[in-house]
Amino acid sequence: MMTMHKAYITAVGTYLPEKILSNLDLEKLVDTSDEWIISRTGMRERHIARDDEFTSDMGANAARVALDRAGMKVDDIDVIIVATLSPDYAFPSTACLIQSTLGAKNAAAFDIQAACTGMVYAMAVAKSFIESGMYKNILIVASEKLSSITDYQDRNTCILFGDGAAACIVQGEGPGLEIGKVSLGADGDQSTLLLLPAGGCRNPATKETVEKRMHYLKMDGKEIFRHAVRRMESAAIECIHQSGLKETDIAYLVPHQANLRIIDAIAKRCKIDDDRVIKVVELYGNTSASSIGLALEKLVVENRIKDKDHLLLVAFGAGLTWGSLILTARGDFTL
Ligand code: ACO
């Protein structure tokens, strides 16, 4: 009879670059104000990588913290999955660069591109690898240098984004956070609402694409907001109910950190009290794929998770993509 293995997140780690870009700094770049940014987004500051610090560097730093906390040797990593929309190169993958930086010579390596939902998609893939028995020790890294694709002349977008990385170790044995029910979705019909227009084969780099600032991300904020609330709510509710749980069974909501108003709307719709909602958007801004990992680490570091607690993760991003999953604490899950 085939044995079904279970997948557990056994450690998390993060890395944030030192430099901070505050709302007051942004006031000097574009026509905006601290008050406008706080009231519309809940953001006060975000971290920005150095010119010589890249997505793979930040990802490797977060990975080292997670490996250390898991007490795992680099040689034991079977596969590295990286979630990013701001890779060092179009190819090779950022996962291969991180494999090289860490010296993880026994690991397979590949990237996932699901924008801000990338880490949730990566957790779903890791769960399948573990449950099928294909791999035992998986390193997931989410890392973004969004400052490299943000137009600091566009006040509609430049106030939102920050840089940073998060990592987690997924293994076939606990104690840890068991990855339970997963709900993923996508709607490519809405792909133009948030995209990086140039640099791919459709609009290769030319003098014209650079002059038209097409190598910076473009977003229809209002429409994205509307879709984000609707999609995250339905993914979260579907995940809760398909797990046989009720909204009141959720100990913590760990949402993608795109905007405080979006987070509050999801929490309200999922009937989760404010003190059980994990928020890091105020200090980190929107770090795309990394944001849910940064929020999860905050919860873990604060030692608030108790045995059998159910955590609800929910994310939304370009694509459009969305996803939700339930993590259940098994055993004494501390660092
Ligand atoms: N400072 C001051 N005024 C501004 C700024 C700014 N930084 N940005 C826009 N405005 C102005 C607009 O020009 C507009 O002026 P107008 O009425 O004269 O035209 C006014 O403020 C209102 O603009 P709205 O777009 O209606 O503002 P809104 O309340 O929708 O907030 C925001 C904008 C914050 C971008 C919001 O729409 C949002 O958060 N959207 C979702 C963003 C998101 O989640 N993105 C990422 C998801 S996927 C991923 O994470 C990669």
Side-chain angles (χ1 to χ4, degrees):
M1 200 176 76
M2 204 176 95
T3 327
M4 188 68 137
H5 305 268
K6 287 184 173 171
Y8 302 86
I9 294 176
T10 56
V12 288
T14 58
Y15 172 81
L16 289 156
E18 256 173 56
K19 185 179 162 194
I20 288 175
L21 183 69
S22 69
N23 292 350
L24 298 181
D25 296 327
L26 285 162
E27 281 183 5
K28 292 175 198 142
L29 296 176
V30 289
D31 180 15
T32 190
S33 68
D34 181 42
E35 192 197 354
W36 192 96
I37 300 172
I38 292 174
S39 66
R40 299 296 178 107
T41 70
M43 296 170 190
R44 287 178 194 277
E45 55 190 45
R46 55 296 284 145
H47 290 248
I48 301 291
R50 297 187 313 267
D51 289 348
D52 65 347
E53 188 173 41
F54 306 108
T55 297
S56 64
D57 302 316
M58 293 188 282
N61 288 341
R64 285 194 191 97
V65 176
L67 285 164
D68 192 44
R69 287 172 174 171
M72 201 165 108
K73 291 201 276 307
V74 162
D75 286 352
D76 292 337
I77 305 170
D78 297 320
V79 59
I80 300 171
I81 309 174
V82 171
T84 185
L85 56 70
S86 49
D88 288 33
Y89 304 110
F91 72 90
S93 70
T94 302
C96 282
L97 304 182
I98 291 177
Q99 185 224 26
S100 167
T101 305
L102 295 177
K105 56 184 185 299
N106 299 322
F110 64 96
D111 287 3
I112 281 185
Q113 219 291 37
C116 305
T117 321
M119 197 164 195
V120 171
Y121 268 70
M123 286 177 184
V125 172
K127 172 181 155 83
S128 305
F129 276 151
I130 299 275
E131 287 182 351
S132 70
M134 186 165 170
Y135 292 125
K136 287 193 176 69
N137 299 310
I138 299 175
L139 169 65
I140 294 177
V141 178
S143 185
E144 302 284 11
K145 186 172 179 175
L146 297 180
S147 58
S148 67
I149 52 168
T150 297
D151 185 350
Y152 289 97
Q153 293 181 12
D154 176 10
R155 70 175 183 173
N156 292 299
T157 53
C158 75
I159 56 152
L160 297 170
F161 300 105
D163 300 335
C168 66
I169 308 293
V170 183
Q171 296 182 283
E173 283 178 25
L177 297 169
E178 183 187 328
I179 305 178
K181 178 72 199 158
V182 181
S183 165
L184 302 177
D187 180 4
D189 290 348
Q190 309 297 332
S191 57
T192 54
L193 293 181
L194 176 53
L195 84 169
L196 189 67
C201 68
R202 197 174 286 239
N203 293 307
T206 61
K207 191 164 171 283
E208 193 192 356
T209 62
V210 173
E211 279 169 2
K212 287 185 170 168
R213 308 184 76 74
M214 290 169 69
H215 297 269
Y216 296 118
L217 66 82
K218 311 284 178 212
M219 180 180 72
D220 180 338
K222 255 194 193 359
E223 276 301 295
I224 286 285
F225 195 108
R226 205 172 58 79
H227 283 279
V229 173
R230 193 161 60 90
R231 295 303 192 180
M232 284 207 272
E233 179 195 359
S234 56
I237 302 281
E238 183 181 308
C239 215
I240 294 172
H241 293 171
Q242 287 189 358
S243 306
L245 299 171
K246 300 184 295 297
E247 283 79 345
T248 45
D249 294 325
I250 301 300
Y252 299 105
L253 172 66
V254 186
H256 171 50
Q257 311 280 314
N259 182 320
L260 191 59
R261 287 156 55 212
I262 296 179
I263 295 173
D264 288 344
I266 307 299
K268 195 168 165 206
R269 288 173 186 221
C270 294
K271 302 184 193 78
I272 298 176
D273 297 338
D274 195 55
D275 60 341
R276 294 187 288 124
V277 182
I278 311 305
K279 302 173 190 177
V280 294
V281 67
E282 183 182 351
L283 298 181
Y284 305 154
N286 180 350
T287 55
S288 189
S290 312
S291 93
I292 211 160
L294 290 167
L296 180 62
E297 200 232 20
K298 175 179 157 67
L299 179 62
V300 172
V301 168
E302 289 175 354
N303 267 329
R304 290 166 70 189
I305 305 172
K306 294 192 301 295
D307 192 20
K308 301 188 183 55
D309 271 355
H310 299 295
L311 280 53
L312 173 66
L313 273 60
V314 61
F316 173 88
L320 303 176
T321 56
W322 57 87
S324 186
L325 57 79
I326 301 282
L327 300 177
T328 303
R330 301 291 183 208
D332 185 16
F333 183 68
T334 52
L335 286 177

